[in-house]
């Protein structure tokens, strides 16, 4: 809750496309919950008054056969309301969970007790996120220590941020302004201080803000630098002399595994291949790549995934060996 203009507690503003839909679903659920609560409580009270005489006189009420239609009504009506709520909620959830095509991807790394944000254009921020109004923003998030939760009440969005895996959330802000950002998962002694703000700007103001921030490397460029600094290029070469699978055209395609199965090379697969390369060994290669779990920061991990994504589609079928079997590594 936030302080309204009159000083009385009021709901946060509906500052994103999804916020009115979430509020409508919540309002519908609240109304029928209150209605049936009052109805049941009222009937209990009324029946308690009406039939209290039997307790005083010792009389026993005679059983009566209930109406079949009454049984049907009080079974079908709640079922219908629950199905409406479920269908409505599922639709809202699916729309919240699936970023639209072409959404701008921002990287968020949580740690005790701050939010680190990397813009697709290059700038980096701590505990602040500047975005343009009216543009779909996809957040790819991970944690470097414990579980956090990215929560912006005005956008009606909250998503857990987990160590050793990525989660995604998206929003499209519809009102310029400054909105609170909280961690909604208890993460340690300074949990209450893990706050920030989302600054929604008009597109021209956002471009001015970007140009005034100084030249910084884009995530893809920083990912390429991380790729070189961690020695990945030594084995993952783009030619037939590679000791590991060629990464060009890998992302989004099916990878043949040494176990006989196959897997789609998505964010989760690339992440696992970096942290625990022996988990899914590519057909034609040996598991000689060392695990990077605990040896690489969450920020570098996101940047490496962004670099693999940027290598494009095409090239040889993903997973086909580029060197004789037994000479390469799993990733």
């Amino acid at each position: 809750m936030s302080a309204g203009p009159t000083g009385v507690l009021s709901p946060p503003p509906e500052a994103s496309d999804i916020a009115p839909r979430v509020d409508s679903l919540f309002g519908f659920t609240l109304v029928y919950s209150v209605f049936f609560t009052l109805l049941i409580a009222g009937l209990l009270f009324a029946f308690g008054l009406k039939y209290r005489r039997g307790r005083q006189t010792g009389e026993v009420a005679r059983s009566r056969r209930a109406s079949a239609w009454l049984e049907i009504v009080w079974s079908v009506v709640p079922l219908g309301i629950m199905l409406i709520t479920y269908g409505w909620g599922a639709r809202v959830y699916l729309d919240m969970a699936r970023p639209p095509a072409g959404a701008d991807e921002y990287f968020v790394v949580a740690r005790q007790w701050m939010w680190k944000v990397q813009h697709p254009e290059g700038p980096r921020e701590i505990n602040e996120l500047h975005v343009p109004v009216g543009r779909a923003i996809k957040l790819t998030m991970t944690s470097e220590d414990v579980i956090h939760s990215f929560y912006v009440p005005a956008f009606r969005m909250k998503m857990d941020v987990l160590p050793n895996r990525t989660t995604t959330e998206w929003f499209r802000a519809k009102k310029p302004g400054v909105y609170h950002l909280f961690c909604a998962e208890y993460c340690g002694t300074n949990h209450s201080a893990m706050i920030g703000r989302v600054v929604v700007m008009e597109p021209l103001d956002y471009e001015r803000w970007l140009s005034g921030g100084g030249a910084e490397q884009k995530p893809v460029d920083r990912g390429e630098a991380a790729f070189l600094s961690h020695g990945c290029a030594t084995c993952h070469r783009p030619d037939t002399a590679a000791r590991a699978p060629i990464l060009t055209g890998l992302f989004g395609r099916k990878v043949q595994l040494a176990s006989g199965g196959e897997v789609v090379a998505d964010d989760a697969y690339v992440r696992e291949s970096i942290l625990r390369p022996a988990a899914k060994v590519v057909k034609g290669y040996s598991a000689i790549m060392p695990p990077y779990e605990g040896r690489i920061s969450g920020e570098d991990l996101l940047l490496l995934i962004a670099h693999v994504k940027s290598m494009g589609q095409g090239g040889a079928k993903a997973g086909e060996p580029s060197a004789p079997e037994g000479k390469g590594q799993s990733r």
Side-chain angles (χ1 to χ4, degrees), residues 153-205:
F155 297 164
R156 309 300 191 267
M157 59 171 286
K158 182 174 77 71
M159 176 58 68
D160 284 350
V161 184
L162 310 174
N164 297 323
R165 61 177 280 199
T166 57
T167 54
T168 60
E169 184 66 289
W170 80 277
F171 65 91
R172 183 185 286 110
K174 65 178 185 178
K175 293 181 180 179
V178 179
Y179 304 103
H180 294 297
L181 163 64
F182 300 102
C183 176
E185 185 74 32
Y186 182 72
C187 56
T189 55
N190 288 336
H191 163 70
S192 60
M194 191 170 174
I195 57 177
R197 62 180 194 160
V198 179
V199 182
V200 180
M201 313 171 74
E202 294 290 352
L204 287 178
D205 293 332

Side-chain angles (χ1 to χ4, degrees), residues 11-284:
E14 296 176 341
S16 71
D17 285 356
I18 203 71
R21 297 176 60 190
V22 173
D23 286 354
S24 297
L25 176 60
F26 175 77
F28 174 73
T29 306
L30 180 64
V31 167
Y32 78 67
S33 298
V34 171
F35 171 77
F36 281 106
T37 298
L38 295 178
L39 175 64
I40 294 171
L43 289 173
L44 286 172
F45 182 74
F47 290 156
L49 289 177
K50 182 176 180 179
Y51 297 109
R52 71 188 187 281
R53 181 173 174 274
R55 181 177 179 182
Q56 297 170 349
T57 62
E59 296 178 5
V60 179
R62 289 174 294 179
S63 62
R64 296 178 58 187
R65 183 177 180 81
S67 169
W69 284 108
L70 182 60
E71 295 281 356
I72 292 173
V73 168
W74 70 39
S75 298
V76 172
V77 170
L79 175 61
I81 293 175
M82 290 299 103
L83 289 177
I84 292 173
T85 306
Y86 173 80
W88 190 351
R91 181 61 183 272
V92 173
Y93 171 79
L94 289 175
D95 289 344
M96 293 176 67
R98 296 182 295 193
D104 296 335
E105 186 174 21
Y106 290 62
F107 297 107
V108 178
V109 178
R111 60 178 300 179
Q112 296 170 317
W113 286 273
M114 69 175 67
W115 302 100
K116 297 191 291 183
V117 180
Q118 168 80 66
H119 287 246
E121 299 88 354
R124 288 176 281 175
E125 302 185 81
I126 293 179
N127 293 336
E128 284 194 345
L129 171 59
H130 288 73
V131 297
V133 68
R135 192 182 301 176
I137 306 297
K138 175 185 175 183
L139 304 178
T140 299
M141 304 179 288
T142 190
S143 170
E144 291 189 337
D145 37 49
V146 298
I147 299 176
H148 302 278
S149 189
F150 193 93
Y151 176 42
V152 183
F155 297 164
R156 309 300 191 267
M157 59 171 286
K158 182 174 77 71
M159 176 58 68
D160 284 350
V161 184
L162 310 174
N164 297 323
R165 61 177 280 199
T166 57
T167 54
T168 60
E169 184 66 289
W170 80 277
F171 65 91
R172 183 185 286 110
K174 65 178 185 178
K175 293 181 180 179
V178 179
Y179 304 103
H180 294 297
L181 163 64
F182 300 102
C183 176
E185 185 74 32
Y186 182 72
C187 56
T189 55
N190 288 336
H191 163 70
S192 60
M194 191 170 174
I195 57 177
R197 62 180 194 160
V198 179
V199 182
V200 180
M201 313 171 74
E202 294 290 352
L204 287 178
D205 293 332
Y206 179 71
E207 294 299 327
R208 294 191 193 99
W209 178 83
L210 285 178
S211 60
E216 293 194 54
Q217 284 187 309
K218 295 182 178 181
V220 171
D221 298 328
R222 293 183 62 211
E224 184 177 7
F227 189 79
L228 296 173
S229 67
H230 287 288
C232 307
T234 303
C235 296
H236 290 282
R237 297 174 55 179
D239 52 39
T240 55
R243 300 177 61 227
I246 296 175
L247 300 180
T248 303
L250 169 70
F251 198 85
R253 301 184 66 178
K254 292 182 178 179
V255 177
Q256 302 297 322
L257 302 178
S259 61
E262 63 180 22
V263 63
V264 175
D266 55 10
D267 289 66
Y269 169 77
V270 176
R271 165 181 282 274
E272 184 180 42
S273 298
I274 296 170
L275 298 179
R276 297 176 293 277
K280 293 184 177 70
V281 180
V282 176
K283 183 179 180 181

